[in-house]
Amino acid sequence: MPGFADSFWSADYAGGLGILFGKLQQGVVESHQVLTVARMRADAEDLYGARLGDIAPAVDKMMGGFARDDGASVRKAFEGIRNEMAEEARTHRKMASNIRELVVNPFSRWCDAHEARVQAAQDDLQSRIKAHDRQADQSRKLRSQYFNKCRQVEDLEEENKLAFQDPQVDPSPKRNFIPEVKVFENDDVDDEDSIEIGDESYEPEQVKKTLKHMMETIKLGETRVPILGTYQNVSTGADIVEYIQKHMQAASVTHAERIGQDLVSNGFLRLVGSVGNAFVNSSKMNYQWRPKAFKISGMPEKRKLFDRVGSELSRPGDSVDSPIVGAVGDYLAGWNPLNNAHPNETGGERLRREAKEADDRYKAAVRKLDLLRCTLEEAMMDNLKFLERCELDRLKAVKTVILDFSGAVGNVIPSLQNTVDKMMLYQETVQPAADLRYLLENYRTGAFVPRVQVYENYYSSADEQTFGVDLEARARADRKRVPVVVTSLLTFLDSHYPDLEGDEARRKIWLVDVPLAASHHLRNAINNGNPIPSELLEKYEIPIVASALRLYLLELPDSLVSSHLYEVIKTIYAHASDSDNPARIAVLQNTLGQLRLANIATLDAVTTHFTRLIDLTSAGEEYVSALASNLAPCILRPRTESVLTPHERFGYRLLRDLFAHREEIFGELKRASAQAQLASGAPLRPRVNTNSERDRRVNVEARNQAIMSRSRASSPHSQSNRAHRRDRSSGGASTRFPIQTSPPSATDRKSIARGSLDVSSS
C-alpha cells in the first residue's frame, strides 16, 4: 500500500498538500470531539455526584422527623437510602476524577501537541512553496527578458544583412553585412538633392516639413558641459527615438537608432558632451540641432548673446581640424561624464552584451529555482512520512482513549457493565490501519513525479544541464542514441554488482528506500551536461546511484513510453487476456514503434539491464512484481492525473511484458528500424567502441578475473580438466555472475549476445 510520501503530490505542490492537510485538520477536530465527550462526561458525573451529596445535608436540616424515633424500622430504611445516596455521590465523583486523570488530562496534552505538529508542518511547507513560486515567477520574467533581448539581436542582424544590400545581389546567409552610413564631407549639401534617411529618400520639401515638425514636437532645451559651456537647442536621444517610432513608423528601436544616425550623418544633429557621432537611444545622451536643420526647416535658431569658450567652439564654421578642437578632443578622449562602463560600444555590441547578461541572470535564476525545488521536495518527503506516522498515532490514541474511558466507567459502577460492554465493542471496531488506508484510497492526489523547470536557451541548446531535459535533446547533445547519463549509471552498476555479497544484496538496491536528499546530492553533482566521471560515482553508495537513475527517469518531461500512448496501452490491456499473448505482443510492438529512436534505445537499455539482473540473480515472482511496481512510473505515466489513474496498473503490466518478451519486442523493433534505414538509402552506422568503453571492458574483465580466481581458490574440487558447469545462483557469498575470461574475437562478437548487464553506448 502506498503511503503519504507517494500519494499527495500535484503539479503545483500546493494542491495535494491542501487535500492532505484538510484531512489532518479534520482529524484534529475529531480528536477534540472525543476529548469534549470525555470532559463533559466527567463534568456531568461530578455535577451529578455533587447534587447527590447535597441530599443528605438538606434532609438533616429538617427537625422533628425521623430523628425522634430511634428504633423505628421506617427510620432504618430511610437512613439506608440516605447513606446509599451519599455513597453513590462519592462514586460518581470518583468516576469524574478517574475520567479526568486517565483520559482528559493526558489526551488533552496529546491533542495540543498533535495539533502543533500538524500546524508546524503546514506552515513550513507553505513557506517553502511560496518561496518556490516566487522564484518560479522571477525565472519566467527573466526568461522573457532574455528572449526579448535575443530577438532584438536577431532583428539587428537581419537588418544588417538586408537593409543596405544591392537589390540585384543575392545576400549570402553566412556573411555578416555591416550597414554603411553615408557621411557628407560638407554640411552645406545642395538643398535641391534628395536625402536618404533610414530606408527612404526624402525630397527637399519633405525634409523641410519633417524637420519643422520634429523641432516643434520634440522638446528642445539646453545642457551644460563642464569646460565647454552651455549648449542651446538640445534634445535627448530618447526623445528623438520616441518621435521617430511614433511619427516616422520605425519598426524597432534599432531601426529608430539608425534613422537618428542618418540625421547625425546628414548634419542635422551632433552629439554634445562626449566624443564621437554615434546616435544612441538614451536619456543621458544629448544631441544639438545644428544650424543646417534650422536653415532648411525655416525655424528660428535660439542663440545666446554672451557665451563662454564653448560657444566659440560650437560655431558651425569651426573645423574639426582646429587646434582648439583637437586639444579639447584629446582631453575628452579619456573623459566619461556619464560613468558608462562601455563608452565606445556600438548599438549591436550593446544588444549582444545585454543579451548575454540577461542569459546569465536567467540561468542563475533557474539554478536557484532548481535548488529550491529539490529542497522543497526533500522537505515534503520528510514531512509526509512524519505526518503519516502522526495520523496513525492519532487513530491509535483515539482507540486507547475509548478503552481507558470504558475502564474508568466500568471499574467504578458495576451496574453499568452492559454499557461498558458495548463501549468495549465499539473500541474493538476501531482499526487505525484500515482508516489510514481509506484516507489514502479516497483522497490520494498523485504519485511523486517531480516537475523540473529547466533552463531554456534561446538557441535550443541542452548544454550545462542533464536532469529534466527532453530525452531526445539530451541524446542529440551527447551525440548518442542513449543519453550518456543513462549509460554511465547503468555501466557503473554493472561493474559493481560483483562487489556485492550475494544475489539478495544485488536485488535489494532497486527496492531500498533511499532518502531524497541523498539522491538530490548526487543529482546536483552530475547535473551539468558533461560526461560523468567514474571517480565521482565511487563516492556514493550503490543504492544512491540506482536511485539517481530512477530520479532521472522521473524528472523527464515525458515518460519513456510517451504519455500520448497511455490511452492506447490502456485499451490494449483492457481488452487483452492471458490467452492471447502473441496478439498482445504484436500490438505492443506496433505501439512502441511510434516512439522516437532515443526513447526506444533507452527503453531497450533499461529493460536489458533489469532482465539480466532478474535472470542472473534467480529473482522470484515476488521480487519481479515489486521491481515492476517500483519502476512503472518511470516507464509510463498518464498525461494528466485523475481520480482513477492512481489505481490503474497499466504501466506495471507493460513492464512485466517487456521483462518477459524483451527479445521478441525489441528484436522486431530493431529489424524494422534497420529495414527503414536501408529503404531510405542511409548507411547503417557501425558500432564504435570509444576509449571509455574499451577502458570499461578492461576494468570489468580484470574484476571478473579477480572474482574467478578467488572462487577457484576456495573451491574444494580439484583443478583437473573437466567441463565447466554453472548452477543457478542461490544467494550467499559463492554466487557470482557468468564471467568471460577472454575477450571475444571480432568474428565471434557478431554471433554472441551482449555481456551481463551491458549497456549500449551508441
Side-chain angles (χ1 to χ4, degrees), residues 159 162-167 179-184 189-204 206-208 210-211 248 255 257-268 292 296:
E159 290 173 1
L162 304 176
F164 296 97
Q165 291 296 321
D166 188 346
E180 298 180 0
V181 180
K182 294 184 178 181
V183 181
F184 293 89
V189 181
D190 191 329
D191 293 344
E192 297 300 321
D193 295 335
S194 62
I195 298 176
E196 184 175 352
I197 301 176
D199 299 332
E200 299 181 6
S201 295
Y202 289 78
E203 296 298 326
Q206 292 178 311
V207 174
K208 179 179 180 180
T210 302
L211 291 176
M248 300 182 71
H255 188 196
E257 287 183 341
R258 187 155 46 80
I259 294 175
Q261 186 64 52
D262 287 346
L263 293 176
V264 174
S265 301
N266 284 290
F268 301 128
K292 177 182 177 180
I296 294 178

Side-chain angles (χ1 to χ4, degrees), residues 663 670 684-689 697 740 743-755 758:
E663 292 290 345
K670 291 176 182 178
L684 293 175
R685 187 178 69 172
R687 171 88 180 267
V688 179
N689 287 336
R697 291 184 181 276
Q740 187 173 355
S745 63
T747 57
D748 296 334
R749 186 180 290 112
K750 298 180 181 179
S751 60
I752 63 174
R754 281 210 305 266
D758 191 14

Side-chain angles (χ1 to χ4, degrees), residues 500-561:
L500 300 176
E501 293 293 335
D503 292 339
E504 186 68 21
R506 299 181 183 110
R507 291 193 294 261
K508 279 186 176 180
I509 67 169
W510 290 102
L511 300 181
V512 66
D513 186 12
V514 178
L516 187 60
S519 302
H520 279 164
H521 192 277
L522 176 56
R523 174 192 183 276
N524 295 334
I526 63 178
N527 188 24
N528 50 22
N530 298 325
I532 304 174
S534 58
E535 296 79 8
L536 176 62
L537 297 179
E538 293 287 350
K539 301 177 182 178
Y540 296 88
E541 297 179 1
I542 297 179
I544 297 179
V545 178
S547 177
L549 177 60
R550 183 175 182 272
L551 182 63
Y552 170 79
L553 298 177
L554 285 176
E555 289 190 358
L556 289 175
D558 196 3
S559 51
L560 278 182
V561 179

Side-chain angles (χ1 to χ4, degrees), residues 43-235:
D43 294 341
E45 294 292 341
D46 200 3
L47 179 61
Y48 184 44
R51 297 303 299 269
L52 287 176
D54 293 339
I55 295 177
V59 172
D60 292 342
K61 292 179 181 180
M62 302 174 64
M63 305 301 295
F66 287 107
R68 298 181 63 180
D69 294 331
D70 294 335
S73 60
V74 177
R75 177 181 175 180
K76 291 181 180 180
F78 171 77
E79 288 179 351
I81 295 174
R82 173 182 173 278
N83 293 334
E84 287 298 325
M85 287 186 178
E87 183 64 26
E88 187 176 357
R90 287 191 296 271
T91 301
H92 282 284
R93 284 195 292 267
K94 184 178 180 181
M95 182 191 300
S97 177
N98 290 343
I99 293 175
R100 290 192 179 99
E101 291 179 0
L102 298 177
V103 178
V104 175
N105 294 337
F107 191 57
S108 176
R109 291 191 297 269
W110 189 93
C111 286
D112 294 339
H114 175 72
E115 183 177 6
R117 288 192 293 268
V118 173
Q119 190 63 43
Q122 185 174 7
D123 294 341
D124 177 57
L125 293 180
Q126 282 183 347
S127 63
R128 293 177 183 272
I129 291 175
K130 289 180 180 178
H132 174 271
D133 292 344
R134 285 195 300 269
Q135 186 62 29
D137 293 338
Q138 180 68 13
S139 299
R140 284 190 287 268
K141 292 178 182 178
L142 292 175
R143 175 183 176 275
S144 178
Q145 294 175 7
Y146 163 57
F147 277 30
N148 289 336
K149 291 295 182 182
C150 291
R151 294 188 188 100
Q152 292 179 11
V153 172
E154 284 189 345
D155 293 342
L156 177 64
E157 292 175 351
E158 291 297 325
E159 290 173 1
N160 290 342
K161 290 179 182 178
L162 304 176
F164 296 97
Q165 291 296 321
D166 188 346
Q168 298 179 354
V169 179
D170 185 16
S172 175
K174 296 183 179 180
R175 183 178 174 186
N176 187 16
F177 290 91
I178 302 176
E180 298 180 0
V181 180
K182 294 184 178 181
V183 181
F184 293 89
E185 296 295 331
N186 187 8
D187 290 345
D188 297 325
V189 181
D190 191 329
D191 293 344
E192 297 300 321
D193 295 335
S194 62
I195 298 176
E196 184 175 352
I197 301 176
D199 299 332
E200 299 181 6
S201 295
Y202 289 78
E203 296 298 326
E205 189 62 24
Q206 292 178 311
V207 174
K208 179 179 180 180
K209 291 181 180 179
T210 302
L211 291 176
K212 183 177 180 180
H213 189 260
M214 290 179 73
M215 286 188 284
E216 288 177 349
T217 305
I218 300 175
K219 179 182 178 182
L220 274 65
E222 62 180 27
T223 183
R224 180 175 179 81
V225 179
I227 301 176
L228 299 183
T230 303
Y231 288 84
Q232 304 291 329
N233 307 315
V234 174
S235 301

Side-chain angles (χ1 to χ4, degrees), residues 527-666:
N527 188 24
N528 50 22
N530 298 325
I532 304 174
S534 58
E535 296 79 8
L536 176 62
L537 297 179
E538 293 287 350
K539 301 177 182 178
Y540 296 88
E541 297 179 1
I542 297 179
I544 297 179
V545 178
S547 177
L549 177 60
R550 183 175 182 272
L551 182 63
Y552 170 79
L553 298 177
L554 285 176
E555 289 190 358
L556 289 175
D558 196 3
S559 51
L560 278 182
V561 179
S562 176
S563 59
H564 297 281
L565 300 178
Y566 186 84
E567 294 298 328
V568 178
I569 294 177
K570 178 179 178 180
T571 304
I572 293 174
Y573 287 106
H575 298 84
S577 61
D578 296 336
S579 60
D580 58 349
N581 271 336
R584 184 175 74 249
I585 299 307
V587 176
L588 280 179
Q589 290 173 353
N590 296 332
T591 303
L592 296 179
Q594 303 176 32
L595 297 174
R596 300 175 296 184
L597 288 178
N599 291 62
I600 295 176
T602 305
L603 185 62
D604 182 23
V606 173
T607 308
T608 300
H609 183 89
F610 288 112
T611 53
R612 293 290 184 183
L613 177 65
I614 292 171
D615 293 340
L616 296 173
T617 59
S618 305
E621 175 65 22
E622 182 179 357
Y623 174 77
V624 176
S625 178
L627 180 64
S629 299
N630 191 26
L631 296 175
C634 305
I635 304 301
L636 178 64
R637 297 190 293 269
R639 189 181 305 180
T640 56
E641 291 281 353
S642 65
V643 180
L644 299 178
T645 51
H647 306 285
E648 295 175 343
R649 294 173 58 83
F650 302 113
Y652 166 82
R653 298 182 64 181
L654 171 64
L655 202 54
R656 292 299 301 268
D657 278 343
L658 292 177
F659 287 164
H661 307 281
R662 184 190 65 82
E663 292 290 345
E664 184 178 354
I665 293 175
F666 289 102

